[in-house]
Amino acid sequence: KAGVTQTPRYLIKTRGQQVTLSCSPISGHRSVSWYQQTPGQGLQFLFEYFSETQRNKGNFPGRFSGRQFSNSRSEMNVSTLELGDSALYLCASSQGLGNSPLHFGNGTRLTVT
Amino acid sequence: AQSVTQPDIHITVSEGASLELRCNYSYGATPYLFWYVQSPGQGLQLLLKYFSGDTLVQGIKGFEAEFKRSQSSFNLRKPSVHWSDAAEYFCAVGAGSYGQNFVFGPGTRLSVLP
């Protein structure tokens, strides 16, 4: 089975721009979660989608949004980028039960200048 | 709300030595607990998980972890460390029966001396 695929691997954007990150989950997985990883804050939960519906949301501003398509692929969008949004964004898929382990992609490294 | 602490930010061990990484959690019900490993520039790989039953769980790469409810701990162990084990290790607790908003600990960076 192919793993979780995230594109692109690297992005450089300017403050004020917007960005869209993409995630293709493991085949058969209906849940996709997004995490932000920074040296200072560690891994922080952004949101989770299950069957095209946002099921859980972390404590991030509304500039961070996402969606999930009928094939379970997911996109995350960040608008009006700030310098502090520079981070590794990790996508994880799972079968969607509370005890289902997360399977992570290799992440998208976003740098905001 | 659940929380996870990993008291050791950085640990250095010699190759062949034993390893124990500590994890303490806070959660009101029986937790779902996980250990993940992350190599530089990579995503997180699942090492092992605990839901219920036997409190000693075996994982990949020769790792094991023991759940101790009385101490709210889920420590990761390996009897003999290999140089390739150098990485960052994260403990995580699941939210319960609904949803996938895991809470991760801050991580422990493991260095291995030859």
Side-chain angles (χ1 to χ4, degrees), chain A residues 9 31 33 35 37 42-43 45 48 55-56 88 90 94-107, chain B residues 32 34 36 38 41-46 49 51 88 90 94-106:
Chain A
R9 284 298 309 274
S31 170
S33 302
Y35 287 79
Q37 186 177 29
L43 280 152
F45 172 75
E48 181 218 358
R55 189 162 66 167
N56 287 285
L88 181 65
L90 292 164
S94 79
Q95 294 177 333
L97 301 176
N99 59 4
S100 301
L102 299 176
H103 298 269
F104 285 84
N106 285 331
Chain B
Y32 301 128
F34 306 85
Y36 286 85
Q38 184 179 34
Q42 302 296 314
L44 280 71
Q45 181 184 21
L46 177 69
K49 58 187 183 286
F51 305 143
E88 186 131 24
F90 294 92
S97 61
Y98 182 75
Q100 297 268 267
N101 49 328
F102 285 21
V103 172
F104 284 82

Side-chain angles (χ1 to χ4, degrees), chain A residues 47-67:
Chain A
F47 31 65
E48 181 218 358
Y49 285 86
F50 183 83
S51 294
E52 302 180 64
T53 300
Q54 187 180 87
R55 189 162 66 167
N56 287 285
K57 189 178 187 305
N59 296 323
F60 278 80
R63 300 185 297 106
F64 292 82
S65 63
R67 59 177 175 169

Side-chain angles (χ1 to χ4, degrees), chain A residues 61-79:
Chain A
R63 300 185 297 106
F64 292 82
S65 63
R67 59 177 175 169
Q68 187 180 32
F69 302 96
S70 58
N71 62 358
S72 292
R73 191 178 70 84
S74 177
E75 288 182 348
M76 189 190 93
N77 184 273
V78 188
S79 62

